[in-house]
Amino acid sequence: MTDNDERVSVGVLSLHNSKETKAILNAVEDLGHDPEWLRQENTAVNIENGEVVIEPEVDIIANRLLLSNTEEPAEGLGLATTFNRLRPMLNQPGAVLTAIHKFATAVTLADWNIQVPDALLALSNDRLNAGRERFGDEGVYKTAIGTHGGGTWKVDLTEPVNPKVGNRQAFLQDFIERDAEVHRDLRVYTVGERVIGAMHRFAPEGDWRTNVALGGDVQDMTDELPEEAKETALYAAEVIGLDYAGVDLIEGEDGWYVLEVNPTAGFKGLYSATGRSPAPYIAQMAIERAGGEVDEERVHDLAATLDDSTPSCKPRTPAMMREDTPLIGYIEEVVVSGTSGSVTALAKSDTGATRTSIDTSLAAEIGAGPIKSMTRVKSGSVKGGKARPVVDLVIGIGGRQHTVTASVEDRSHMDYPLLLGRDILQHYQVDVRKRADSDAGPSKDDDEMLEEEE
């Protein structure tokens, strides 16, 4: 045990209930120090008579803000910067900003002679399309900020693409693949100068993206990690400036390329593949950097378990405190975007549908796709269900954007070309009295039989 006089207070800045945040906090406590979860219920910064005070008081902060899938990442970066002005921080905001912007990551790495795929970001439509031929007939098209494989498409480059998807900048990138039969990359998790674990990530059937969040399989590669890949991952994290990161690499004909450097990489897939959790090592780094001590053997032992149970330091939520969940109407005006453009359209909210769906003609108009797989959707009128293609698209609602995998169907006989499923509605409260087409009478969609994805 650690004497109270030697105990370090480690704050984890995280406004969401992630397993990774819980695991880091539990590891801090298991190592004999004091964890503090910095979140909405308990956190404040007070300036009074020139004195600045943090609530709760901490010695060091580990930054675990999820910014890639938020609509206003600048808000989170500003919050992290506020704390970083007052306390030492792991994964400082400047490094995180570079990491979450995939093109900024590529530019930074290339400038330090780390191999990355050829890419092109242009602010004008003409310049982007004038340069697309050098990527061949097929290439990768990405939004500069995105996560879990969202905002990433493999596209037919014989057709024009847009420099933006919704309000997010997009760019073209070479598609690198040594084995056309097996789509895989390599995730290496680093903490400081140490590799905690490495795994191959395989794309799920019908997809080419390898993200575990999309259902891809994993395979332990820690003991077979090529030295070049290990050194490249460690160097990439150092160049970006991250204390802990998931570095994604892919092997080309002439060596290893860095695809992304993720400041908030998940632990679940890595633990599933390797049996090792990065959490105790992140906790160790924070404690030692703040002047505390830990037992190295204890860190190693704790890493054999991913303890993502609710930590004892989680602040209690007041009974009267309501979640700040935005309101959405039964019929809502949305902006739907694909690789060819954006369109404003009316969408119907359907809490009975798992997946959002889009009309075939609208999908073609915005360049949604390409079709990544087929899904079976059951309907009360069709025994056994119907097979429908699914595509990625971006839907903007009142300033928020959501990248979803939507099913494509002929909705020409319906009033609304888009149906919003629970993949989007989970972020909102639905007010069935609110309609963007308030002058309209009963719709054909109201007569549509409820469909549910299997």
Side-chain angles (χ1 to χ4, degrees):
M1 290 295 292
T2 305
D3 292 340
N4 286 336
D5 292 344
E6 300 174 351
R7 294 172 75 94
V8 167
S9 178
V10 177
V12 178
L13 180 59
S14 172
L15 307 182
H16 56 286
N17 290 312
S18 78
K19 295 178 181 294
E20 292 76 17
T21 295
K22 295 174 182 177
I24 295 169
L25 291 164
N26 286 329
V28 170
E29 185 168 30
D30 288 339
L31 290 171
H33 294 270
D34 300 323
E36 290 284 359
W37 193 342
L38 305 182
R39 49 187 288 142
Q40 180 181 359
E41 297 92 329
N42 69 331
T43 302
V45 180
N46 183 40
I47 305 174
E48 187 172 353
N49 296 323
E51 183 180 356
V52 184
V53 177
I54 291 179
E55 303 171 15
E57 178 61 47
V58 295
D59 298 308
I60 191 169
I61 297 170
N63 181 11
R64 274 291 306 180
L65 288 177
L66 286 180
L67 301 175
S68 296
N69 57 358
T70 62
E71 302 314 314
E72 297 294 341
E75 291 289 336
L77 286 166
L79 181 62
T81 301
T82 299
F83 284 101
N84 192 203
R85 291 285 185 264
L86 301 168
R87 293 292 183 272
M89 178 174 283
L90 305 187
N91 278 10
Q92 295 185 8
V96 170
L97 173 59
T98 302
I100 66 171
H101 194 284
K102 297 173 185 177
F103 203 83
T105 299
V107 167
T108 304
L109 296 177
D111 195 45
W112 283 83
N113 298 317
I114 297 174
Q115 198 164 226
V116 297
D118 286 353
L120 172 64
L121 180 147
L123 302 186
S124 77
N125 192 299
D126 290 344
R127 177 63 184 93
L128 185 64
N129 285 289
R132 77 176 193 273
E133 288 185 4
R134 71 181 174 93
F135 297 96
D137 291 340
E138 192 174 60
V140 177
Y141 178 74
K142 292 182 176 180
T143 55
I145 298 177
T147 188
H148 298 323
T152 301
W153 297 267
K154 187 164 64 172
V155 295
D156 176 6
L157 291 178
T158 62
E159 297 292 332
V161 293
N162 271 2
K164 281 191 171 184
V165 176
N167 62 5
R168 293 214 162 159
Q169 198 72 42
F171 64 95
L172 291 173
Q173 187 181 70
D174 257 348
F175 180 60
I176 297 176
E177 187 174 49
R178 289 190 64 173
D179 187 346
E181 299 299 320
V182 180
H183 304 286
R184 74 180 187 188
D185 68 6
L186 181 69
R187 161 68 62 86
V188 181
Y189 204 103
T190 68
V191 178
E193 298 179 356
R194 177 161 28 191
V195 168
I196 306 305
M199 62 179 176
H200 270 145
R201 304 186 304 172
F202 297 89
E205 184 178 356
D207 206 337
W208 62 279
R209 299 168 301 174
T210 58
N211 303 73
V212 175
L214 299 174
D217 290 330
V218 294
Q219 176 187 7
D220 187 11
M221 287 294 294
T222 307
D223 295 335
E224 292 87 37
L225 182 63
E227 188 66 22
E228 181 190 351
K230 174 184 176 181
E231 293 303 320
T232 299
L234 288 168
Y235 188 33
E238 179 185 1
V239 164
I240 298 301
L242 293 173
D243 297 292
Y244 45 87
V247 183
D248 297 338
L249 305 102
I250 193 164
E251 190 175 15
E253 297 297 338
D254 52 351
W256 290 92
Y257 292 76
V258 177
L259 299 176
E260 296 180 20
V261 183
N262 189 335
T264 50
F267 298 168
K268 182 179 177 182
L270 185 78
Y271 183 75
S272 174
T274 69
R276 306 300 293 171
S277 165
Y281 296 99
I282 296 172
Q284 177 187 16
M285 174 179 278
I287 293 164
E288 292 180 343
R289 193 167 292 183
E293 296 181 355
V294 299
D295 182 341
E296 183 74 35
E297 186 175 343
R298 178 64 172 152
V299 174
H300 180 79
D301 291 343
L302 287 174
T305 303
L306 179 58
D307 181 6
D308 55 11
S309 60
T310 300
S312 61
C313 65
K314 181 179 181 181
R316 296 185 63 179
T317 303
M320 297 301 293
M321 186 175 179
R322 296 190 57 182
E323 290 291 329
D324 185 22
T325 305
L327 202 64
I328 191 174
Y330 178 57
I331 306 299
E332 192 73 31
E333 186 175 80
V334 304
V335 177
V336 57
S337 306
T339 61
S340 300
S342 301
V343 170
T344 300
L346 291 176
K348 173 190 170 186
S349 300
D350 186 354
T351 57
T354 301
R355 190 189 294 275
T356 292
S357 62
I358 183 172
D359 179 62
T360 307
S361 60
L362 179 56
E365 182 180 353
I366 65 171
I371 293 170
K372 30 180 303 231
S373 62
M374 302 290 286
T375 186
R376 293 200 70 81
V377 180
K378 64 183 179 182
S379 167
S381 59
V382 180
K383 189 175 183 180
K386 299 177 284 186
R388 291 179 182 163
V390 293
V391 297
D392 280 345
L393 49 86
V394 179
I395 295 179
I397 306 172
R400 293 185 166 208
Q401 283 196 318
H402 307 274
T403 301
V404 294
T405 301
S407 62
V408 181
E409 61 177 318
D410 179 10
R411 295 184 59 84
S412 60
H413 58 296
M414 298 295 170
D415 288 329
Y416 308 107
L418 278 166
L419 184 142
L420 304 179
R422 293 197 301 272
D423 50 356
I424 287 179
L425 298 179
Q426 63 179 317
H427 305 291
Y428 298 90
Q429 297 181 58
V430 179
D431 183 353
V432 295
R433 298 165 299 180
K434 182 183 175 186
R435 301 179 63 118
D437 62 343
S438 55
D439 295 334
S443 72
K444 299 172 188 174
D445 289 80
D446 293 329
D447 299 326
E448 191 178 30
M449 301 191 88
L450 180 66
E451 296 182 344
E452 181 74 26
E453 178 195 353
E454 289 185 328

